Amino acid sequence: MFEKTIVLDTCALLWLANGSDKLSETARNQIDHASIVYVSAISAWEISLKHEKEMLILPLNAEQWFSSVIEKHSLVLFPLDVSILCAANRLPLHHKDPADRMIIATAIRESAAVVTADFNFKKYDVKVIV
């Protein structure tokens, strides 16, 4: 059974973009068959931050890279809005990373599964695809 709606965690986005084998075949199949695959705008912030700190090397500046990956993989950018930001703060503190909490809040709002390797996501009311 394929998920209709998926949200990619930032690590999953990087793996998809790089063709990494860290993205499982199951996750790739789910992404390929989903009706919509979201990427939270917070992932752009995380990627840009890592790039600026030289913890992540990209072939383009972070903004150009992010936009090209969204287009190449037919992903949908999910904007951060007040309801997502507030919902992330209302989540139980199983996960302390605010960016991941925003991704979780997005998945909950959209009734979407999340592609991630972070097992802390499983502590929330979201389906996780590893």
Side-chain angles (χ1 to χ4, degrees):
M1 167 107 184
F2 293 110
E3 296 297 322
K4 183 177 178 181
T5 308
I6 291 175
V7 178
L8 299 180
D9 186 15
T10 305
C11 64
L13 174 64
L14 289 165
W15 296 338
L16 177 67
N18 295 329
S20 173
D21 61 2
K22 290 183 180 179
L23 190 63
S24 71
E25 188 172 329
T26 299
R28 286 181 201 281
N29 285 333
Q30 289 285 349
I31 292 166
D32 289 345
H33 290 92
S35 298
I36 189 162
V37 181
Y38 288 119
V39 175
S40 173
I42 198 65
S43 291
W45 177 81
E46 284 189 292
I47 289 167
S48 175
L49 180 64
K50 288 181 183 201
H51 181 66
E52 292 302 320
K53 289 183 173 185
E54 298 181 355
M55 297 168 59
L56 177 65
I57 297 170
L58 300 172
L60 305 165
N61 73 47
E63 186 175 353
Q64 291 171 325
W65 181 90
F66 193 83
S67 295
S68 69
V69 170
I70 294 284
E71 183 178 335
K72 178 181 179 183
H73 295 281
S74 302
L75 307 172
V76 177
L77 181 62
F78 200 98
L80 295 176
D81 60 26
V82 172
S83 68
I84 292 294
L85 297 171
C86 292
N89 287 326
R90 288 191 301 268
L91 290 171
L93 288 173
H94 304 308
H95 205 309
K96 306 250 190 283
D97 183 329
D100 286 340
R101 293 168 62 80
M102 290 179 214
I103 292 168
I104 293 163
T106 300
I108 290 170
R109 182 164 102 183
E110 296 301 307
S111 300
V114 181
V115 176
T116 185
D118 187 336
F119 288 100
N120 284 318
F121 279 60
K122 290 184 176 188
K123 296 175 183 175
Y124 294 92
D125 190 23
V126 293
K127 179 169 184 178
V128 173
I129 301 168
V130 181

